[in-house]
Amino acid sequence: MSKTMNLTLHVWRQKGGTDVGGFETYKAQDISEHMSFLEMLDVVNERLLADGKEPIAFDSDCREGICGMCGMVINGVPHGPNAATTTCQLHMRHFNDGDEVTIEPWRASAFPVLRDLVVDRGAFDRIIQAGGYISASSGSAPEANGLPVPKADADRAMDAAACIGCGACVAACPNASAMLFVAAKAAHLGALPQGQPERWERVKKMVAQMDAEGFGHCSNHYECMAACPKEISVDFIAQLNRDLVRATVVEREHEEKSGGAG
Amino acid sequence: MPMAKAITLHDTTIGKKVVMAVTGLVLYGFVIAHMLGNLQVFMGPEQLNGYAKKLHDLGPLLYAARAVILLALVLHVAMVVQLVSRTAAARPIGYRLKKNQVTTYAALTMKLGGVVLMLFIVYHLAHFTFPGLSMTAGYKHSPTDVYANVVSGFRVPWVTAIYVLAQLCLGLHLYHGAFSLFQTLGLSHPRYVEKARFVAQTLGIAVAAANIAMPVAVVAGIVK
Ligand code: HEM
Ligand code: SF4
Ligand code: FES
């Protein structure tokens, strides 16, 4: 027999960007411990629909922890109480019968609320567009071993590439800083040979866009790393700092020299 | 492709933090030197006054050092003001419930503690360096007898209380500051994080304790 539970939810409801919004209280009844947190919300929404009420809007896509859509702050922690777990992968067995659960959207001026728990993470896309890419000609695939990558570099790139762009780092940061995301994306390409030609320009452009989007600065609280479902390390932030200093102080002429495509 | 606009370090939030880290390091150096100098109060009047005379005899060199420290302080505070005012707008609507998981009290109180330090620096200068502005009743200032100034300055318990409070703030600021600055400068490494935290904590406590020991020793009648 699996455990079932009844919960009281306090959920942020907001009709749209201009609506002031506020908390509403709902009962979540007969929730199986095997459900995911999103499935629990699905059950609540079915009840709301049956009662002719607006369901709670939240984002989700893959429901297997890889797309980064399902962000919400659960009882004060982005993605809820379990370390290294997205909301969609959070199981209800981590809650107890009778629990009160407060659910809020990511809070940052750069992530405006679209509706209820859904925020616009377009700021992350614009940071990637500013420099989080490599300019490679898209001909036929090159020979796999044509460009050797040292194991340590490949590992480091893979660690950084684990970032799913969910925004929990911003949500958790007391300053609403996006440093962990930007650091991961810059380090992922910066660790690989393919990323070298644009390395210094990339860091400058991504940081400039991060600032332009209105994210806060980094005070080294490390709340981002604790909230990150992919356990991205703040070591990448140290590297971003180092790379930006190098890009702006040491590699200045690089700008003029790097004429055509890298 | 030519860049539309060259990005300079100090335009960025990271660059401003780098300035804070470098100036913080300069100020940290001053705090250590200042503490070591003053601790000579425990070695008697001749030692402390002799040290003070040596410092003053440096002449232009002393003024150059003071200029560097003042510049570092001005830049440090200017960067704080720029960063904090910017970041205040980054989360206009806060959380109803927010649980911090790993940050420290020291890290969370950098801004408030910084304001206390700023006020304290002004008070401290008015107390000993520009004593015309002294707020201590019954305090007599001698330009050469530093030892006597210390004893007469700290005999008043509420003055000592202000110093103790300010030094507790300094200890916390130095703890997170020392821990944070290596990360800001990109010099930290995951392998040494816990060691760095321990060293930063120990140094912060040591500096605060040493600076507190002096006024307390006067109030307790140990230094007289
Ligand atoms: C005794 C003098 C001082 C020393 C030795 C000192 C040292 C430092 C150091 C080393 C840092 C770390 C920088 C980094 O994270 O990279 C720092 C940060 C900071 N300092 Fe100071 N500081 C002093 C005075 C002040 C004053 C007077 C203020 C306030 C007006 C202030 C406000 C701050 C703030 C707010 C931060 C944190 C910035 C952030 O990360 O958000 N400090 N300080
Ligand atoms: S760094 Fe972690 S928390 Fe931030 S966006 Fe990437 S996966 Fe999400
Ligand atoms: S829905 Fe894709 S990560 Fe949660």
Side-chain angles (χ1 to χ4, degrees):
Chain A
M1 253 299 281
S2 72
K3 190 175 79 171
T4 63
M5 62 192 89
N6 296 321
L7 306 167
T8 306
L9 309 182
H10 304 286
V11 186
W12 180 261
R13 300 303 307 263
Q14 183 176 341
K15 289 204 176 68
T18 50
D19 182 27
V20 280
F23 282 92
E24 295 283 344
T25 301
Y26 304 98
K27 295 271 177 226
Q29 255 140 1
D30 300 322
I31 301 300
S32 155
E33 64 170 340
H34 299 310
M35 284 180 185
S36 74
F37 198 82
L38 297 188
E39 285 164 342
M40 181 276 290
L41 286 178
D42 290 338
V43 169
V44 173
N45 275 345
E46 271 165 33
R47 271 278 300 276
L48 285 174
L49 277 169
D51 293 348
K53 295 193 184 119
E54 274 290 317
I56 301 161
F58 61 89
D59 253 336
S60 77
D61 189 0
C62 70
R63 297 211 176 193
E64 58 178 16
I66 56 171
C67 76
M69 293 295 282
C70 57
M72 56 188 79
V73 175
I74 302 165
N75 279 345
V77 181
H79 291 300
N82 251 32
T85 309
T86 54
T87 304
C88 59
Q89 293 283 288
L90 175 65
H91 281 86
M92 294 312 294
R93 58 175 166 268
H94 300 292
F95 295 83
N96 296 308
D97 189 38
D99 276 1
E100 306 231 349
V101 185
T102 301
I103 311 172
E104 303 173 70
W106 287 173
R107 292 295 189 191
S109 59
F111 287 163
V113 172
L114 295 175
R115 193 180 184 95
D116 300 341
L117 306 172
V118 180
V119 301
D120 177 1
R121 284 175 298 122
F124 272 11
D125 297 337
R126 290 187 290 275
I127 292 172
I128 298 296
Q129 282 159 6
Y133 52 80
I134 56 166
S135 306
S137 58
S138 52
S140 55
E143 210 280 304
N145 294 322
L147 192 58
V149 181
K151 173 86 165 73
D153 293 352
D155 286 350
R156 193 168 165 78
M158 286 300 278
D159 284 350
C163 167
I164 55 176
C166 65
C169 42
V170 175
C173 176
N175 295 352
S177 169
M179 287 279 278
L180 193 62
F181 167 77
V182 176
K185 293 302 175 194
H188 155 207
L189 297 172
L192 295 172
Q194 293 89 337
Q196 296 313 306
E198 288 153 307
R199 179 166 175 184
W200 312 110
E201 283 308 306
R202 173 183 308 115
V203 167
K204 285 198 277 188
K205 288 176 184 169
M206 291 180 80
V207 169
Q209 191 62 34
M210 168 184 87
D211 286 348
E213 295 290 347
F215 292 107
H217 71 284
C218 177
S219 290
N220 300 323
H221 290 286
Y222 296 176
E223 286 297 321
C224 52
M225 180 165 63
C228 175
K230 299 296 152 184
E231 299 184 298
I232 303 291
S233 166
V234 291
D235 184 36
F236 292 120
I237 295 182
Q239 183 178 355
L240 182 69
N241 293 338
R242 201 157 59 227
D243 279 12
L244 185 74
V245 171
R246 175 141 175 216
T248 49
V249 180
V250 185
E251 306 274 341
R252 289 186 79 163
E253 335 77 279
H254 205 85
E255 257 162 49
E256 291 96 71
K257 273 193 226 145
S258 65
Chain B
M1 230 194 310
M3 280 278 299
K5 179 177 166 283
I7 296 152
T8 50
L9 185 61
H10 66 265
D11 283 339
T12 64
T13 49
I14 293 179
K16 291 183 204 300
K17 273 303 299 268
V18 167
V19 172
M20 287 206 67
V22 172
T23 55
L25 196 61
V26 170
L27 294 171
Y28 205 137
F30 164 73
V31 164
I32 298 276
H34 189 65
M35 173 194 76
L36 291 177
N38 290 343
L39 278 176
Q40 296 174 51
V41 75
F42 289 113
M43 298 157 84
E46 295 84 55
Q47 178 70 29
L48 186 67
N49 293 342
Y51 167 71
K53 184 166 183 321
K54 254 186 264 159
L55 265 191
H56 276 269
D57 289 348
L58 290 176
L61 216 62
L62 177 67
Y63 280 92
R66 282 175 165 174
V68 170
I69 295 158
L70 185 67
L71 182 69
L73 184 66
V74 168
L75 281 175
H76 193 77
V77 175
M79 292 304 112
V80 174
V81 171
Q82 288 185 21
L83 286 172
V84 169
S85 54
R86 216 186 148 279
T87 293
R91 180 169 291 139
I93 302 169
Y95 294 103
R96 177 196 256 191
L97 191 65
K98 174 67 170 63
K99 282 193 203 119
N100 287 325
Q101 302 187 82
V102 290
T103 190
T104 59
Y105 182 75
L108 289 168
T109 53
M110 288 302 271
K111 284 174 270 181
L112 193 66
V115 172
V116 173
L117 286 182
M118 198 63 240
L119 292 174
F120 173 72
I121 291 167
V122 173
Y123 175 75
H124 181 51
L125 289 174
H127 190 182
F128 283 124
T129 310
F130 307 108
L133 306 167
S134 171
M135 286 158 267
T136 315
Y139 171 65
K140 291 182 296 295
H141 188 83
S142 153
T144 50
D145 194 351
V146 176
Y147 188 89
N149 292 344
V150 171
V151 173
S152 115
F154 289 141
R155 218 170 254 153
V156 191
W158 65 262
V159 173
T160 290
I162 289 179
Y163 273 79
V164 170
L165 195 80
Q167 293 311 309
L168 292 177
C169 291
L170 179 66
L172 283 171
H173 201 87
L174 293 181
Y175 161 35
H176 183 68
F179 177 74
S180 177
L181 83 92
F182 289 101
Q183 173 80 357
T184 302
L185 295 176
L187 301 174
S188 55
H189 188 283
R191 198 179 300 153
Y192 305 114
V193 167
E194 284 320 305
K195 282 190 194 111
R197 192 178 283 286
F198 176 76
V199 170
Q201 255 165 3
T202 311
L203 266 179
I205 292 171
V207 171
N211 283 347
I212 286 172
M214 294 179 254
V216 167
V218 172
V219 168
I222 298 164
V223 167
K224 52 185 185 276

